[in-house]
Amino acid sequence: MLSQQYSLLTSTIILALSVSNQVNAQTKPIQKDEQQIEKLVITSNPLNPTVLESATPVSIIAGEDLESRIAPTLGETLKNVPGVHSTYFGPVSSSPIIRGLDGPRVKVLQNGLDASDASRVGPDHVVSTESANATQIEVLRGPATLLYGSGAIGGVVNIVDNRLPVQRRDEIEGKVSYLHDSVSSEDLLNLNVDGGNDTVMWHFDAFDRETENYSIPGSADIDGTEDSGKLDNSFIDSNGFTAGLGWASDNLNVAFSFGQLESDYGIPGHSHEEEHEEEEEEHEEEEVFARLDQDRYQMLVDLHDLDGFFSEFKFRSAYTDYSHSEIEDGAIGTTFNNESIESRLWGKHRSINGWEGVIGLNYTNSDFSALGDEAFTPASESDSLALFVLEEKHVDKFLWQLGFRYEKSDISVDNSFFESTEDEHTDEIFFDDASYSALSLSAGVVWSVQDNATLSFNYARSERAPSAAEMYSNGLHIATSTYELGAGFDIEPSDEAGEYHIVQNQQDAEKEISNNLDLTYHTSGDSVEATFSIFYNQIDNYLFQQNTGLVSEDGHIHSEEEGDEELDADHDHEDEGLAIYLFRQQDAEIYGFEAEIDWHITEQIRLETFADITKAELTSGENLPRIPPARIGFGLHFESDYWHAEVGATYNAKQTDIADYETETAGYTLVNAAYNYYTEVADNELVLFVRGNNLLDKEARVHASFIKDVAPLPGRSVVVGARLNF
């Protein structure tokens, strides 16, 4: 199987070599869903480099390309970016997986500052950003801790929009769009408007999305016991708006915005059956869903064209008030709250012996709580303060880049949470405040091999402090139907034969230390543009959730193989046997390959293809759990003056490299097609579009999903819509 996976990537390399001789100095034609890569600026980096000036691999999705990818969740929007997969908790919640890393290792930003939701705590928690009104999405693959902290040890996703308006405008500009998706009866309406003059600018955007339970090609259960044709609890009802106001003078920009997001969304794979009192054999399914509310305030202050050592200063700050409740049959089981503030200040200094760069400070505070009978992690408060430095220097054909960050973080936990878990077999549980310091360094170089080709190398040493959830979780996670234990706990045999109990781990969790190498080659010419990246990441003290092989049942912990005869005689079985997942640490190695090729066969016909593979192993030789399989995809594009059409397919290989207690996941191929028609209405561009997804109606399951066995990907869908740009 391994040879089959690598053969997919080998074929991609062969294709690149076969067309690379066509590269020359002429300008490559640009179709409507393409961007000129040399003009795409990484806004989340204070030095604002282009993609080609970054020593670490970066993908930017913008324009028509972004419009065609829009999905209800961020993970699904980005799932076909090389090196990026999705956690996929049904269509309602999915976060990006970058090179096999997700959760607290991938930072999700809104205009350069943390989204500050609860999506890093569990895969069922939606990322509280909306892609429909974004101008571009930036994906930084590999460690990005220098700017964004230890939570970015795996990568960064930055959603960029115009909520902080500072661009001077002569007229009102914007877009309004609507789409309908047949697979879930989705209706999405969104509006985006910008206006202003030479001094004052304003912005407003809003969206409304409503879906029903989506259709699947057969049974939700992998065993095929129920041929429902629908996935229960997979609906979405969400809306939000953002308003921003900005002011600009010759050397000062100030902007402020307020955004509100509300969403009710189902929790797939978690439904109960409740007996009627009148007829015991009839059952009624409970509605299980989450209710999210978020208010976000964001601001910026820019000083530029200054005299002295610093030529400019920039300040960014955001305050977020987030709440998310999990509701079963009308009753709130758990409510997650996160109140946070983040501020970032940096100054750009003038050249010192050819070195140009920024020096900055970054402060974050997060007050998190989980309240309710089914809360699985205690309330905690986290603070961090960091100093960072980025420098770069051009020497002939080389662009040298250096970076440094020192971060001090503190975590305090509410120990009263653990009182309910203490019994006659358990000592008192009490955790002192935890304090960590993290030092991250990087060195990279971009070599202009030719006028149209660059070779980049980057080394990054990054440190990450464990999150509060990774250390202190202790309870039932309702959405994943598991019992989660943080690294602050362990499981020992109890006095009763065949049973175990939870004890506090007397050893503190260690920092993760990542040593990451990236090598990237990019070439561009009149007909071919291609990017190839290989990476190797060695991580000390890698913190991961391991299935212990034990289950929690009616307050007892025992082995899955023990059987339940004795328990049946003595207990009422208030809960089913829940697998216990314990956070443990071990050294790990993660490595892989990514490739993108864009070949203009003619000015009207273009072939694009991508491939990636990630291998992840513990030093003991065991595979890490839920690592996405190898895949390869292609799209064939046709374009004329007034229309653009494409047909494509993505093949995900069978995943056989699995951890203990995991199951293999079958491979699958998804076929899609799209057609856009461009016309004008009153001198404004109108785009009419139709898309087909999973046209062969194949059953497909995401290996990285906690609920893959009960929540397949959607079946065949047809999306129709219109977008007016004015």
Side-chain angles (χ1 to χ4, degrees):
M1 189 63 208
L2 183 60
S3 61
Q4 179 186 1
Q5 293 176 347
Y6 279 112
S7 68
L8 297 176
L9 303 179
T10 303
S11 63
T12 307
I13 299 173
I14 293 173
L15 175 60
L17 295 176
S18 67
V19 298
S20 61
N21 59 359
Q22 302 185 38
V23 176
N24 58 47
Q26 298 180 24
T27 302
K28 180 172 73 70
I30 299 295
Q31 292 191 351
K32 295 184 187 297
D33 65 340
E34 287 186 279
Q35 300 289 320
Q36 290 180 285
I37 191 170
E38 66 274 8
K39 295 183 179 180
L40 293 174
V41 175
I42 307 170
T43 63
S44 55
N45 187 319
L47 296 176
N48 294 132
T50 66
V51 172
L52 297 181
E53 293 172 333
S54 174
T56 57
V58 179
S59 295
I60 296 182
I61 303 95
E64 288 285 347
D65 185 23
L66 176 57
E67 296 284 355
S68 67
R69 296 174 186 254
I70 294 299
T73 63
L74 180 62
E76 290 299 284
T77 298
L78 300 176
K79 67 179 182 179
N80 285 330
V81 175
V84 183
H85 291 254
S86 169
T87 57
Y88 196 72
F89 205 87
V92 300
S93 177
S94 62
S95 298
I97 301 173
I98 300 180
R99 294 177 169 179
L101 301 175
D102 65 339
R105 296 181 183 86
V106 173
K107 189 81 106 176
V108 178
L109 310 176
Q110 181 80 57
N111 294 300
L113 296 175
D114 198 330
S116 299
D117 49 35
S119 62
R120 309 297 89 192
V121 177
D124 58 304
H125 300 171
V126 68
V127 178
S128 60
T129 61
E130 176 55 48
S131 303
N133 287 312
T135 56
Q136 70 182 43
I137 299 179
E138 304 162 358
V139 181
L140 285 67
R141 303 193 296 275
T145 57
L146 296 177
L147 286 173
Y148 314 108
S150 63
I153 198 170
V156 160
V157 175
N158 184 36
I159 296 91
V160 182
D161 57 27
N162 290 328
R163 69 177 59 200
L164 294 170
V166 292
Q167 180 180 347
R168 298 177 178 181
R169 300 178 182 275
D170 297 327
E171 57 186 4
I172 294 177
E173 300 177 357
K175 70 174 182 178
V176 58
S177 66
Y178 167 80
L179 68 78
H180 177 81
D181 190 341
S182 65
V183 79
S184 60
S185 297
E186 176 186 4
D187 291 302
L188 170 63
L189 178 66
N190 70 288
L191 171 70
N192 198 318
V193 187
D194 293 281
N197 53 38
D198 285 343
T199 304
V200 179
M201 291 73 65
W202 56 269
H203 168 83
F204 179 80
D205 67 60
F207 81 96
D208 185 88
R209 172 183 285 111
E210 188 170 350
T211 81
E212 299 176 3
N213 292 339
Y214 74 84
S215 301
I216 54 178
S219 173
D221 192 327
I222 197 170
D223 296 327
T225 54
E226 295 183 11
D227 190 10
S228 60
K230 294 279 188 179
L231 182 66
D232 294 328
N233 296 327
S234 61
F235 67 89
I236 303 173
D237 185 0
S238 62
N239 62 82
F241 75 90
T242 305
L245 186 66
W247 179 83
S249 66
D250 291 341
N251 62 354
L252 174 64
N253 294 335
V254 179
F256 176 84
S257 71
F258 170 73
Q260 187 174 76
L261 176 66
E262 297 179 350
S263 181
D264 286 359
Y265 62 93
I267 301 179
H270 187 85
S271 60
H272 298 292
E273 291 183 346
E274 182 178 334
E275 292 187 357
H276 289 283
E277 293 182 1
E278 297 80 6
E279 296 180 68
E280 291 186 357
E281 294 184 357
E282 290 187 12
H283 295 83
E284 178 182 298
E285 185 177 89
E286 293 182 5
E287 188 176 39
V288 183
F289 69 98
R291 174 162 293 160
L292 181 155
D293 291 286
Q294 177 178 279
D295 292 336
R296 183 175 175 91
Y297 302 83
Q298 202 161 336
M299 68 171 297
L300 68 77
V301 179
D302 291 345
L303 287 166
H304 45 87
D305 298 326
L306 302 178
D307 296 328
F309 179 69
F310 289 101
S311 60
E312 64 181 39
F313 281 102
K314 293 190 176 183
F315 176 75
R316 303 287 186 270
S317 187
Y319 167 77
T320 306
D321 188 2
Y322 170 94
S323 177
H324 157 201
S325 297
E326 295 179 354
I327 301 170
E328 290 188 83
D329 202 26
I332 296 177
T334 310
T335 296
F336 297 88
N337 296 304
N338 190 26
E339 188 175 359
S340 65
I341 186 169
E342 179 178 9
S343 297
R344 188 188 304 271
L345 171 68
W346 69 88
K348 186 175 182 179
H349 67 76
R350 287 186 162 78
S351 177
I352 303 175
N353 194 28
W355 288 95
E356 297 180 343
V358 296
I359 303 172
L361 295 171
N362 188 193
Y363 171 76
T364 61
N365 172 271
S366 176
D367 190 355
F368 174 84
S369 66
L371 306 174
D373 293 337
E374 294 173 331
F376 64 93
T377 186
S380 61
E381 184 173 1
S382 304
D383 280 283
S384 72
L385 180 63
L387 168 70
F388 63 88
V389 180
L390 295 179
E391 299 291 335
E392 65 178 25
K393 180 178 182 178
H394 287 269
V395 180
D396 297 327
K397 294 185 176 182
F398 297 91
L399 173 60
W400 297 91
Q401 298 175 341
L402 298 174
F404 162 89
R405 181 186 180 99
Y406 178 77
E407 179 178 330
K408 186 74 166 57
S409 59
D410 299 289
I411 302 175
S412 60
V413 61
D414 181 3
N415 284 284
S416 64
F417 172 84
F418 303 112
E419 293 176 0
S420 61
T421 66
E422 298 169 6
D423 56 32
E424 66 272 16
H425 302 295
T426 307
D427 295 332
E428 180 183 2
I429 296 174
F430 185 88
F431 290 95
D432 295 324
D433 293 351
S435 181
Y436 292 90
S437 60
L439 176 65
S440 298
L441 306 166
S442 75
V445 61
V446 181
W447 174 27
S448 298
V449 182
Q450 298 175 342
D451 291 340
N452 54 11
T454 60
L455 180 65
S456 303
F457 172 81
N458 191 73
Y459 165 73
R461 182 191 184 279
S462 307
E463 297 184 348
R464 184 182 80 89
S467 68
E470 290 174 312
M471 289 193 290
Y472 307 124
S473 293
N474 187 335
L476 163 66
H477 191 169
I478 177 176
T480 59
S481 295
T482 60
Y483 194 100
E484 292 194 7
L485 280 176
F489 298 95
D490 211 337
I491 301 176
E492 294 182 352
S494 66
D495 296 335
E496 189 173 344
E499 293 200 19
Y500 299 79
H501 66 279
I502 298 169
V503 297
Q504 183 174 349
N505 191 337
Q506 299 305 314
Q507 294 183 341
D508 293 334
E510 300 289 338
K511 293 181 297 184
E512 286 184 349
I513 302 175
S514 166
N515 289 276
N516 188 87
L517 298 174
D518 266 295
L519 184 65
T520 302
Y521 178 74
H522 179 85
T523 181
S524 178
D526 69 325
S527 61
V528 175
E529 186 168 298
T531 303
F532 304 93
S533 297
I534 57 175
F535 66 92
Y536 174 79
N537 194 1
Q538 192 275 325
I539 306 177
D540 293 337
N541 307 316
Y542 183 80
L543 192 59
F544 65 102
Q545 276 186 300
Q546 185 178 60
N547 191 329
T548 61
L550 302 175
V551 297
S552 173
E553 189 168 12
D554 296 340
H556 293 256
I557 298 174
H558 59 89
S559 171
E560 286 182 325
E561 291 79 13
E562 285 293 326
D564 302 324
E565 290 82 0
E566 295 182 5
L567 291 174
D568 285 337
D570 300 329
H571 305 287
D572 296 329
H573 286 279
E574 297 174 357
D575 59 61
E576 301 172 0
L578 299 173
I580 298 178
Y581 282 77
L582 175 64
F583 280 96
R584 288 178 171 163
Q585 288 189 292
Q586 193 177 141
D587 296 349
E589 292 182 342
I590 304 175
Y591 53 94
F593 173 81
E594 302 150 356
E596 280 185 287
I597 302 169
D598 193 348
W599 178 19
H600 282 259
I601 302 171
T602 70
E603 289 191 3
Q604 289 75 39
I605 302 175
R606 174 169 65 94
L607 174 67
E608 62 174 352
T609 184
F610 77 95
D612 58 34
I613 186 171
T614 298
K615 309 295 290 183
E617 301 172 348
L618 298 169
T619 52
S620 62
E622 302 171 27
N623 295 306
L624 283 174
R626 294 178 297 283
I627 298 300
R631 64 179 174 174
I632 185 169
F634 82 91
L636 190 60
H637 299 251
F638 309 87
E639 184 167 287
S640 75
D641 292 337
Y642 304 106
W643 58 268
H644 179 100
E646 64 180 279
V647 60
T650 302
Y651 170 68
N652 286 259
K654 180 179 181 180
Q655 182 56 287
T656 58
D657 297 334
I658 58 177
D660 291 341
Y661 306 102
E662 266 195 306
T663 57
E664 297 182 356
T665 303
Y668 56 88
T669 300
L670 300 181
V671 177
N672 55 75
Y675 179 84
N676 287 10
Y677 180 76
Y678 303 88
T679 186
E680 288 190 356
V681 174
D683 295 328
N684 297 312
E685 182 186 57
L686 175 65
V687 183
L688 305 175
F689 57 86
V690 58
R691 304 172 195 144
N693 301 314
N694 192 7
L695 292 176
L696 302 182
D697 204 31
K698 293 289 187 180
E699 179 178 315
R701 299 180 186 270
V702 178
H703 182 75
S705 172
F706 266 93
I707 57 172
K708 67 167 186 169
D709 290 345
V710 293
L713 287 168
R716 181 187 296 114
S717 77
V718 176
V719 181
V720 296
R723 182 175 65 256
L724 180 67
N725 299 313
F726 56 89

